[in-house]
Amino acid sequence: MDDRYGRLYELPAELAMLGHQVAGLCLSYRPREQGPSLTRTPKKNQVAWSSVNLGPFILPGLLRYFRKLKEIINDFHPDLIVAGSDALHCIFGQRIAEKHHLPCVLDLYDNFESFGLTLVPGISPLFRKAVAKAEGITCVSAQLERHVLTNYRPRGMVTTIVNAIPAELFQGKDKMIARQKLGLPAEAKLIGTAGALSKNRGIKTLIEAYNELAAHDPTIHLVLAGPQEPTIKLANDPKIHYLGELPYSEIPFLFSALDVGIICNVDSGFGRFCFPQKAYEMMACNLPVVAAGVGTMAELLSAFPEQLFSPGDVTGLVRAIRGQLTNPRQPEIPIVTWPQQAQKLLSFIEKIRP
């Protein structure tokens, strides 16, 4: 919420822009500014967000959270509750909705059972129970929807609402201007990505592929942006450009500066069910892409097999990048925006609310 982007921020904001009253409550596992706040939208309709820190002792933070949630329900009188973020929020949301005789929609923006939180004893079965009892389930990918229907046997309705982009932000920029803004070399062949730079997202495969590419073509540079896992060590190479954690507003400049964007992933409980938002972001910036052929991306790019590589296959990634550098190809895939997804969510909600 601090960064004001992504699914948990955009969908409530778009519902508010459609004229609906929306209130939200965040439980932060890390210290954050607490209290009420409003989304900064260009229109008069705003989401009334509040936040509570869990704190180091957990129980006092949970008590503050439930008090605040009860206060919001008593003052706001919601027609239904939408819960998401992780398994714990889904458990709480479904229980609170049931207690107050309200319908509940659980928004599964990832396979929450792949998160470390579900290793806590009791969390996974309680999460599965909440999914089974909720009146509605929204899933981030068709793969996750099929997984939910098969393994959780939900009583309520289930639909897929994929991640999207703010269309006003993600538009192609002039390549040279974008490179100058980010301090990147003007004449190099730039490949790269943005997002979590971690082992469980397959970033090591990209680094190894770059090493092989650069050994044969010294004009190829690697550009990375995003939080870096301590286990990911970048070589002291002047052709590796680590930009740190860029503000979201600068990501379109990064994707406009690159020659090829890489969407890394691994074949895991996370990778098989996620929907990499950066895929649409890259495509909206007219960036040729290469993606790990797992989950959503395998289906999205099924008509473009030359743009896919098997997770962990360095040779396959090298081949795909070379192909895009030599003969760039941008798939003609409709790019979904957040207003469109909010309309879809609203239609789903209207089937559920009494």
Side-chain angles (χ1 to χ4, degrees):
M1 287 306 144
D2 290 347
D3 298 317
R4 300 181 182 271
Y5 72 87
R7 184 185 188 93
L8 298 181
Y9 171 79
E10 296 284 358
L11 286 175
E14 292 295 340
L15 289 176
M17 287 186 181
L18 291 172
H20 299 277
Q21 292 181 292
V22 184
L25 177 62
C26 302
L27 176 64
S28 178
Y29 302 148
R30 291 176 290 178
R32 289 287 189 271
E33 183 179 346
Q34 299 185 97
S37 65
L38 296 174
T39 57
R40 298 189 183 96
T41 58
K43 299 183 180 180
K44 64 179 181 179
N45 298 314
Q46 296 181 312
V47 180
W49 282 106
S50 296
S51 62
V52 173
N53 289 334
L54 182 60
F57 302 108
I58 300 179
L59 184 57
L62 287 177
L63 291 175
R64 290 193 300 271
Y65 172 77
F66 286 119
R67 281 199 299 267
K68 185 60 181 179
L69 189 53
K70 182 178 179 181
E71 175 187 319
I72 291 173
I73 290 174
N74 290 338
D75 294 343
F76 192 67
H77 303 293
D79 294 310
L80 86 164
I81 289 176
V82 180
S85 182
D86 61 18
L88 193 61
H89 284 82
C90 289
I91 295 166
F92 291 163
Q94 192 279 323
R95 292 252 178 132
I96 291 296
E98 188 174 56
K99 178 180 178 180
H100 291 269
H101 307 290
L102 294 169
C104 178
V105 173
L106 299 183
D107 180 44
L108 309 186
Y109 75 78
D110 271 324
N111 174 20
F112 290 158
E113 287 200 273
S114 71
F115 290 15
L117 180 62
T118 55
L119 297 176
V120 177
I123 294 294
S124 189
L126 288 174
F127 169 67
R128 286 175 168 251
K129 183 177 179 181
V131 173
K133 295 177 72 174
E135 283 73 19
I137 307 292
T138 55
C139 300
V140 76
S141 68
Q143 292 78 8
L144 184 56
E145 179 178 342
R146 292 194 289 267
H147 177 73
V148 167
L149 289 170
T150 301
N151 295 284
Y152 298 167
R153 301 187 182 278
R155 303 171 195 171
M157 295 189 295
V158 182
T159 194
T160 295
I161 297 179
V162 302
N163 285 334
I165 65 165
E168 70 282 357
L169 179 62
F170 280 90
Q171 301 174 15
K173 315 291 184 184
D174 179 272
K175 179 170 289 189
M176 291 300 107
I177 293 176
R179 290 184 174 193
Q180 183 179 25
K181 178 179 176 65
L182 297 174
L184 297 172
E187 302 303 324
K189 299 171 186 174
L190 302 184
I191 65 172
T193 193
L197 307 179
S198 62
K199 182 180 178 181
N200 64 9
R201 302 294 175 88
I203 197 66
K204 285 189 174 182
T205 304
L206 173 55
I207 295 172
E208 291 177 26
Y210 157 74
N211 289 333
E212 184 172 331
L213 287 163
H216 295 88
D217 185 348
T219 66
I220 293 177
H221 291 223
L222 177 63
V223 184
L224 301 171
Q228 182 180 350
E229 189 178 76
T231 59
I232 301 299
K233 306 297 183 182
L234 299 178
N236 185 20
D237 182 343
K239 293 186 293 183
I240 295 179
H241 308 272
Y242 176 55
L243 304 180
E245 297 184 44
L246 291 176
Y248 191 57
S249 60
E250 293 190 11
I251 298 299
F253 288 95
L254 170 59
F255 291 159
S256 297
L258 298 177
D259 291 299
V260 179
I262 295 94
I263 302 161
C264 303
N265 221 326
V266 297
D267 188 4
S268 65
F270 172 83
R272 287 190 292 272
F273 302 110
C274 70
F275 190 100
Q277 186 172 323
K278 66 172 70 72
Y280 282 157
E281 294 172 347
M282 289 178 176
M283 293 177 193
C285 293
N286 304 313
L287 175 62
V289 301
V290 167
V294 62
T296 293
M297 296 312 301
E299 289 192 11
L300 194 65
L301 296 177
S302 60
F304 310 92
E306 70 281 0
Q307 298 180 26
L308 294 170
F309 67 96
S310 297
D313 181 5
V314 174
T315 301
L317 177 53
V318 167
R319 182 170 53 248
I321 292 173
R322 279 183 177 149
Q324 284 288 54
L325 286 172
T326 303
N327 184 26
R329 188 179 182 188
Q330 297 171 8
E332 295 182 5
I333 294 173
I335 297 172
V336 181
T337 65
W338 287 120
Q340 292 171 326
Q341 296 305 77
Q343 286 283 2
K344 185 173 182 179
L345 176 58
L346 181 59
S347 297
F348 184 69
I349 287 173
E350 288 176 341
K351 296 175 184 176
I352 293 171
R353 57 184 282 193

